């Protein structure tokens, strides 16, 4: 349940199904791509790979909706490192949880379309990228 406080002091409550049964905590911060829109990976419970990627839209049309970027594979583990506001690119790490155990750095545009992927040795050691 999300509660919106208006400037006149009134309150509006709204439920978003994408947030149902989510153990929500801000361990993965929201990355704002403009004044009204932000993206965030949220955990859904059982283990690290139970993740949802959501888009937050603020303002009068406040909503939360699931997003499925072209690179997103259920069962893999993702981290949203940061967004470069000048290049309008976002940087993610991906851990392939299958037997291959491969790691990638994924670079996307603001529409979350993959621009390029780079193999990396391990996602835990990547905290930022200088592009």
């Amino acid at each position: 349940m999300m509660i919106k406080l208006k400037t006149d002091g009134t309150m509006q409550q709204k439920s978003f199904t994408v947030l149902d049964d989510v153990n929500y905590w801000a361990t993965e911060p929201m990355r704002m791509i403009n004044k009204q829109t932000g993206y965030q990976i949220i955990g859904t419970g059982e283990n690290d790979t139970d993740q949802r990627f959501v888009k937050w839209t603020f303002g009068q049309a406040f909503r939360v909706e699931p997003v499925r970027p072209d690179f997103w594979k259920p069962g893999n583990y993702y981290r949203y490192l940061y967004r470069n506001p000048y290049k309008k690119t976002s940087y993610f790490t991906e851990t392939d949880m299958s037997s291959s155990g491969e790691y990638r750095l994924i670079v996307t545009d603001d529409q979350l379309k993959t621009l390029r992927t780079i193999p990396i040795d391990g996602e835990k050691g990547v905290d930022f990228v200088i592009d």
Side-chain angles (χ1 to χ4, degrees):
M1 183 68 67
M2 300 297 292
I3 297 173
K4 178 180 177 182
L5 299 175
K6 296 183 180 181
T7 53
D8 65 2
T10 59
M11 223 172 43
Q12 178 185 14
Q13 293 183 6
K14 190 171 183 181
S15 178
F16 296 92
T17 57
V18 69
L19 299 176
D20 287 350
D21 300 321
V22 171
N23 294 324
Y24 184 81
W25 59 89
T27 56
E28 291 293 331
M30 185 182 305
R31 308 296 183 186
M32 299 299 294
I33 62 165
N34 58 43
K35 291 180 180 179
Q36 294 183 318
T37 305
Y39 291 107
Q40 186 175 34
I41 296 173
I42 57 177
T44 58
E46 302 286 319
N47 57 54
D48 287 345
T49 62
D50 289 336
Q51 297 175 310
R52 288 183 194 155
F53 194 54
V54 295
K55 176 181 176 183
W56 296 82
T57 304
F58 297 96
Q60 291 300 322
F62 180 78
R63 64 186 179 276
V64 185
E65 55 195 318
V67 179
R68 184 59 62 94
D70 60 355
F71 64 84
W72 192 273
K73 296 176 187 158
N76 284 357
Y77 175 73
Y78 294 92
R79 287 176 53 218
Y80 192 164
L81 295 178
Y82 76 99
R83 177 182 176 269
N84 183 325
Y86 303 104
K87 292 189 172 198
K88 299 189 182 321
T89 52
S90 289
Y91 302 83
F92 297 83
T93 59
E94 175 190 62
T95 303
D96 184 340
M97 301 304 285
S98 70
S99 58
S100 67
E102 295 175 353
Y103 305 95
R104 299 188 308 166
L105 177 70
I106 301 166
V107 184
T108 71
D109 63 16
D110 275 351
Q111 288 72 46
L112 302 173
K113 299 293 181 205
T114 302
L115 299 174
R116 63 188 175 281
T117 61
I118 302 165
I120 55 178
D121 285 337
E123 61 85 22
K124 297 287 187 201
V126 178
D127 293 321
F128 66 94
V129 178
I130 298 172
D131 194 352

